[in-house]
Amino acid sequence: MATIESLTLEVADPKAAHHFYTAAFGLDAQIRLRASQAPSTGFRGFTLALTVSQPANVDSLVNAALDAGATSLKPAAKSLWGYGGVVQAPDGTIWKVATSAKKDTGPATRDIDEIVLLLGVEDVKASKQFYVGQGLAVAKSFGGKYVEFAAEGSSPLKLALYKRRALAKDVGVPVDGSGSHRIVLAGTAGPFTDPDGFAWEATSLAPASS
């Protein structure tokens, strides 16, 4: 079964981005970085979600991100599904921090249970079939609205598909955007480019962590 082995963000300043991700989320090995000046405007078509165990952990990570230079897109708040907030990193990447828990069960930590890469796609069903054809296994599927693929072995994150318009609305940004996604996935299925222009590389071609 094909899996994601790494995720690379293309940023203007890898050193500054590495400092941010280490200070904000404690992500050192999980996210790779490389320099790129590829033009990109507006919504880049994806978000990264950090799933944690309780509301206090959401607050801890969101506050650390804001202290490190992130911009708040949606302040942390309760909702029908739990508790969460959305920030935008200085490099432009949008991050959602959330929990399904309604109450705290212990002291606040910055422990992250799961990292999910949400790709905003025009046709969820078509993209699902494309990725199944590349060897990814479906873990959850809700018609043409949402698909989550299984993560196996040492994969640091899960991949999920969401309608682009719905994803932009969920994180509080306009749906319009053009140019590079400025994100590259590496895995056992690559190299290829999916129907929405998200690029994959073969694992052996993945760059070293900055």
Side-chain angles (χ1 to χ4, degrees):
M1 187 178 75
T3 61
I4 302 174
E5 296 296 332
S6 67
L7 180 148
T8 299
L9 296 175
E10 297 182 335
V11 300
D13 187 338
K15 185 176 181 180
H18 181 264
H19 175 75
F20 170 81
Y21 288 118
T22 302
F25 303 135
L27 297 177
D28 190 10
Q30 299 93 330
I31 302 296
R32 301 184 180 204
L33 304 163
R34 69 179 173 209
S36 173
Q37 299 291 339
S40 184
T41 62
F43 182 45
R44 283 159 46 188
F46 73 92
T47 65
L48 282 154
L50 304 178
T51 304
V52 299
S53 63
Q54 61 178 0
N57 295 8
V58 172
D59 290 334
S60 180
L61 287 165
V62 167
N63 290 336
L66 295 176
D67 288 344
T71 301
S72 176
L73 295 180
K74 279 191 173 182
K78 293 180 180 178
S79 69
L80 291 175
W81 49 261
Y83 184 82
V86 182
V87 299
Q88 188 165 29
D91 66 79
T93 304
I94 296 172
W95 292 80
K96 183 175 183 177
V97 187
T99 179
S100 59
K102 300 293 182 73
K103 296 181 180 180
D104 294 324
T105 56
T109 73
R110 294 172 66 201
D111 294 339
I112 296 167
D113 297 335
E114 192 174 70
I115 306 173
V116 181
L117 169 62
L118 283 156
L119 301 184
V121 302
E122 292 301 324
D123 188 329
V124 172
K125 289 184 177 179
S127 292
K128 171 188 172 182
Q129 290 306 311
F130 175 85
Y131 277 108
V132 168
Q134 301 300 324
L136 276 75
V138 175
K140 299 177 183 177
S141 181
F142 299 94
K145 295 182 178 180
Y146 177 82
V147 175
E148 185 177 293
F149 296 98
E152 294 288 331
S154 61
S155 180
L157 65 146
K158 282 186 176 180
L159 175 68
L161 308 176
Y162 204 26
K163 289 283 289 185
R164 178 186 170 96
R165 185 171 297 277
L167 183 59
K169 182 179 180 180
D170 183 56
V171 296
V173 298
V175 69
D176 298 330
S178 63
S180 174
H181 293 297
R182 298 185 76 164
I183 189 172
V184 179
L185 296 134
T188 53
F192 60 82
T193 300
D194 81 359
D196 293 274
F198 291 100
W200 286 64
E201 297 176 343
T203 302
S204 61
L205 299 178
S209 179
S210 298

